[in-house]
Amino acid sequence: MEWTDPLKSLQADFIKRLQSGTENLLHCGLLGVHSDIKTISSSNSELQKLREYCWEMVRKFRKYKDINPQQVFTNHAKGKLGEIVTKECLGELVRQVDYEILPSGDGKIDLTLSSDGNIGIQVKTRYSNTYKVEWSISLEEIQKNRAIVCVLILGEQKIFDEFKSEYHPVMAGFLPTDLIQKQIRESSLNWEDNNGNKVVKIKIDNLLYGGGLRSYLEKLSSQSLDEITLAHLRSEQWEILHTFNECNVRCIDFHPNGKIFASGGTSHNISIWDLNTRKLLSWHTRYYYDNKTGDVNSLKFSCDGKFVVSTGFVSGASHLRDLETKGIQVLNWETGEVISSIRSAPDFAIHPSNNNIVAFGAVINQAYKIGFYNFRTKEFFSTLEGQQEYVESITFSLNSEILVSGSENGQVRIWDLTKWDWTDSNVSSISHSEHLKAVNTVAISPDNQILASGSDDNTVVLFNLKTKRTTHKLTGHSDSVISICFSPDSLILASGSADDTIKLWHVKTGELLHTLKGNPHRKWQEGCLSVCFSPDGQILAAGFGGEGGEIILWQRT
């Protein structure tokens, strides 16, 4: 028997009592004790705060637009009344209703556990003269909260009467958000469009009995935040949002605004795509020297979003190490103007604090080095020595304090830039050799804590930059790991492989959360060559190689 079965049975009894009249509902005036129906009277100090809050909202909205004051008052009053009722039932288990005036609302989280502010509870309140009512729950509310509580105010009126001496809201029930997600996956609940926003509509018989809310939240309170987070990540699903047909996609990156993304590959073009319309905005042919076109092997938007920086090699190049066949190009993607172009190695990194500086692997006087180039001044201005092999991959930490390079011999070198003055070529560095073959891709988590590397040995290594120890060696891919990317919250690492799959890993535990697959019907497969999270972490883009290559967007649900 599932833990929810008794609460479903109690909910069915509750609905029968509600149908027969509110006098048959359980009523208890004790704070922190469940009650099917609550009496909120004018003697309740929270009610006076509610009225003051609602009129403040009316004054605030009047400044910006022509509004109906009564409707604004009603919308905020019923929402806050639902929060008061929930607080009355849960007592000190949850934090007090926050009446601070926030310019952008409450962030879709109404209450949190007193013991853990990361556990959110969203309260949804509806007016209705019948129990046959629906509550609309948005994707954002599901993602930000652990439970949705539904409150019903019985009555004909559409406008909140602020002069009533008492109100009698009904605790209609609750649903854990991971249960909502499960029901969506099983199609017992379905997404609907509400003015361009995705919502699910929940009826009273979909809910669990409100008397079980306290015990459910107490169970969450006893769990560690890591346990809760991992359980939430496990319950998430990634659904295909859209597929773009694009020849042999080798690289993808999102613009910092999250509204567009760029791709490149063997088409010899850099393509700019609109995420909302899913249409091609523009494309730019990638030239190298002597007007020769070539493949785009890697690309990134500059941190300010003004430029696309890319590298690759001329088609038919006899040796990929030959710098005469490769080059970094800086493109103003809006005008199509090429700002700068140099010959360099197959990967590069843009300095997070200075958009004008790129780092790349270089071979100078037959020695392997890291080179630095300022594309505004168009000059090479520094190098780092100590690289023992050809650089296949390179990245900066978001705080600019660390540079990491991955080599053909499987070595990952970590350079400490905290005291570097851009002139000394001998900078302190450490390395690890956890990989047996070439390191194709490196990435540092946005919180600057974890270094990830992917290799031709089919593995991903996670390395703690503070303790300087390997935390996990991730196995599961059956072919080379070509691309990796951290989610913006640093909780998930995506790895794309030549085995044509993407794996999503929990960074802290190394647990495999999900495996996503490309299209098995392509003409010939080179696998997943690029993965990238959107800036809000809700979309994962992947580029697949092959004559019938494609870009697939997955959305988090």
Side-chain angles (χ1 to χ4, degrees):
M1 182 175 69
E2 297 286 341
W3 70 270
T4 56
D5 290 342
L7 295 180
K8 291 178 181 177
S9 179
L10 289 170
Q11 182 71 357
D13 291 342
F14 162 73
I15 294 172
K16 290 178 182 177
R17 296 199 306 275
L18 180 61
Q19 287 176 285
S20 63
T22 55
E23 66 276 7
N24 295 312
L25 297 179
L26 173 66
H27 183 275
C28 180
L30 295 176
L31 180 66
V33 179
H34 174 73
S35 179
D36 294 345
I37 188 168
K38 282 283 187 180
T39 298
I40 309 296
S41 67
S42 55
S43 62
N44 190 316
S45 62
E46 294 296 332
L47 196 56
Q48 181 57 35
K49 290 182 182 179
L50 179 149
R51 289 167 175 155
E52 293 172 359
Y53 167 83
C54 293
W55 280 119
E56 180 62 30
M57 289 296 99
V58 171
R59 287 189 287 272
K60 188 191 86 166
F61 278 89
R62 252 182 188 156
K63 295 177 184 178
Y64 302 108
K65 59 185 79 173
D66 183 23
I67 52 110
N68 181 333
Q70 282 187 319
Q71 194 60 56
V72 172
F73 189 99
T74 295
N75 290 342
H76 286 87
K78 70 180 183 181
K80 288 299 178 183
L81 189 59
E83 293 174 33
I84 292 174
V85 172
T86 306
K87 179 66 175 64
E88 290 271 327
C89 289
L90 297 174
E92 297 305 314
L93 183 63
V94 294
R95 291 183 178 177
Q96 293 284 343
V97 177
D98 183 11
Y99 284 94
E100 181 181 355
I101 311 304
L102 299 175
S104 58
D106 58 15
K108 303 299 182 184
I109 302 173
D110 290 328
L111 302 171
T112 62
L113 289 189
S114 299
S115 61
D116 191 341
N118 293 291
I119 299 177
I121 303 148
Q122 179 73 347
V123 182
K124 305 293 291 186
T125 308
R126 285 294 306 271
Y127 266 120
S128 180
N129 60 356
T130 174
Y131 71 94
K132 294 181 179 179
V133 64
E134 293 179 327
W135 291 265
S136 294
I137 318 297
S138 71
L139 175 61
E140 184 181 6
E141 289 170 326
I142 293 170
Q143 291 171 338
K144 288 187 173 182
N145 295 277
R146 296 293 290 159
I148 304 294
V149 178
C150 294
V151 175
L152 176 62
I153 303 176
L154 290 168
E156 294 280 355
Q157 69 222 52
K158 298 293 184 183
I159 299 299
F160 188 86
D161 184 357
E162 68 167 310
F163 299 108
K164 288 179 67 173
S165 59
E166 58 183 33
Y167 304 88
H168 303 281
V170 175
M171 281 287 289
F174 79 101
L175 269 182
T177 52
D178 55 3
L179 189 57
I180 295 175
Q181 291 174 318
K182 180 182 178 183
Q183 292 178 358
I184 291 171
R185 292 195 298 271
E186 295 172 349
S187 299
S188 53
L189 288 176
N190 296 296
W191 290 115
E192 299 182 26
D193 182 75
N194 181 24
N195 297 321
N197 297 315
K198 289 176 66 174
V199 300
V200 289
K201 293 185 177 179
I202 295 175
K203 298 179 181 179
I204 197 167
D205 54 3
N206 297 130
L207 301 172
L208 301 179
Y209 181 57
L213 177 60
R214 169 177 278 277
S215 62
Y216 171 72
L217 294 176
E218 286 175 338
K219 180 182 177 183
L220 290 183
S221 182
S222 66
Q223 292 179 301
S224 70
L225 179 59
D226 286 340
E227 290 175 324
I228 293 168
T229 301
L230 181 53
H232 187 64
L233 294 175
R234 286 171 180 154
S235 68
E236 288 181 335
Q237 292 294 302
W238 292 82
E239 297 179 351
I240 291 180
L241 178 66
H242 193 71
T243 299
F244 303 82
N245 293 320
E246 182 80 346
C247 181
N248 206 1
V249 181
R250 295 186 177 276
C251 44
I252 294 178
D253 193 37
F254 277 95
H255 189 278
N257 68 16
K259 296 179 181 179
I260 63 174
F261 67 92
S263 66
T266 58
S267 64
H268 300 189
N269 295 322
I270 295 172
S271 301
I272 310 294
W273 305 87
D274 186 295
L275 189 60
N276 293 325
T277 64
R278 286 121 196 209
K279 292 182 178 179
L280 182 65
L281 290 176
S282 60
W283 57 271
H284 310 274
T285 300
R286 179 68 160 85
Y287 291 99
Y288 288 84
Y289 60 92
D290 297 334
N291 288 326
K292 292 182 178 179
T293 61
D295 300 346
V296 182
N297 194 59
S298 176
L299 62 75
K300 298 177 183 72
F301 278 101
S302 58
C303 300
D304 60 10
K306 294 180 180 179
F307 306 105
V308 173
V309 185
S310 64
T311 188
F313 47 85
V314 172
S315 300
S318 59
H319 201 297
L320 300 187
R321 289 194 187 183
D322 180 6
L323 297 188
E324 293 299 311
T325 67
K326 292 183 289 296
I328 294 176
Q329 183 186 84
V330 182
L331 172 76
N332 184 323
W333 64 271
E334 291 185 292
T335 65
E337 178 187 3
V338 175
I339 305 299
S340 187
S341 184
I342 61 170
R343 293 171 181 174
S344 75
D347 198 14
F348 64 92
I350 303 173
H351 193 278
S353 304
N354 189 331
N355 282 315
N356 299 329
I357 295 174
V358 292
F360 53 91
V363 182
I364 301 174
N365 296 325
Q366 298 183 335
Y368 301 110
K369 298 183 180 183
I370 303 293
F372 294 87
Y373 178 75
N374 187 318
F375 68 78
R376 281 294 187 189
T377 62
K378 298 184 179 179
E379 62 179 351
F380 298 91
F381 64 92
S382 189
T383 60
L384 293 181
E385 297 182 356
Q387 189 70 36
Q388 296 177 359
E389 258 288 354
Y390 186 71
V391 174
E392 295 281 353
S393 50
I394 189 169
T395 191
F396 282 103
S397 62
L398 200 57
N399 61 10
S400 309
E401 294 179 356
I402 292 173
L403 179 72
V404 174
S405 58
S407 301
E408 189 179 51
N409 65 351
Q411 187 182 77
V412 175
R413 184 161 292 276
I414 303 158
W415 309 80
D416 183 358
L417 304 183
T418 52
K419 298 180 181 179
W420 190 41
D421 62 1
W422 296 98
T423 58
D424 187 3
S425 61
N426 294 303
V427 172
S428 174
S429 67
I430 62 171
S431 65
H432 76 70
S433 301
E434 295 283 349
H435 292 294
L436 303 177
K437 295 182 180 180
V439 179
N440 298 314
T441 174
V442 289
I444 298 175
S445 59
D447 63 7
N448 306 301
Q449 300 295 311
I450 303 295
L451 161 65
S453 53
S455 168
D456 278 341
D457 66 5
N458 309 348
T459 69
V460 175
V461 170
L462 300 183
F463 184 87
N464 189 303
L465 291 168
K466 299 297 182 184
T467 65
K468 297 178 174 56
R469 293 180 180 274
T470 297
T471 58
H472 301 286
K473 192 166 188 176
L474 309 178
T475 59
H477 284 297
S478 60
D479 208 334
S480 298
V481 177
I482 308 297
S483 177
I484 54 177
C485 183
F486 283 95
S487 60
D489 57 13
S490 302
L491 295 176
I492 298 174
L493 180 77
S495 59
S497 168
D499 67 9
D500 219 39
T501 69
I502 300 164
K503 293 188 182 294
L504 303 182
W505 311 87
H506 184 229
V507 173
K508 187 162 188 176
T509 65
E511 178 179 325
L512 177 61
L513 298 170
H514 304 285
T515 298
L516 311 177
K517 296 183 179 181
N519 182 357
H521 304 297
R522 292 202 312 276
K523 292 181 182 179
W524 53 277
Q525 298 171 315
E526 288 190 10
C528 178
L529 304 179
S530 181
V531 290
C532 185
F533 282 100
S534 60
D536 64 2
Q538 299 306 307
I539 292 175
L540 177 66
F544 290 85
E547 192 173 321
E550 60 194 3
I551 300 167
I552 301 179
L553 302 182
W554 279 273
Q555 185 168 43
R556 206 174 196 166
T557 62

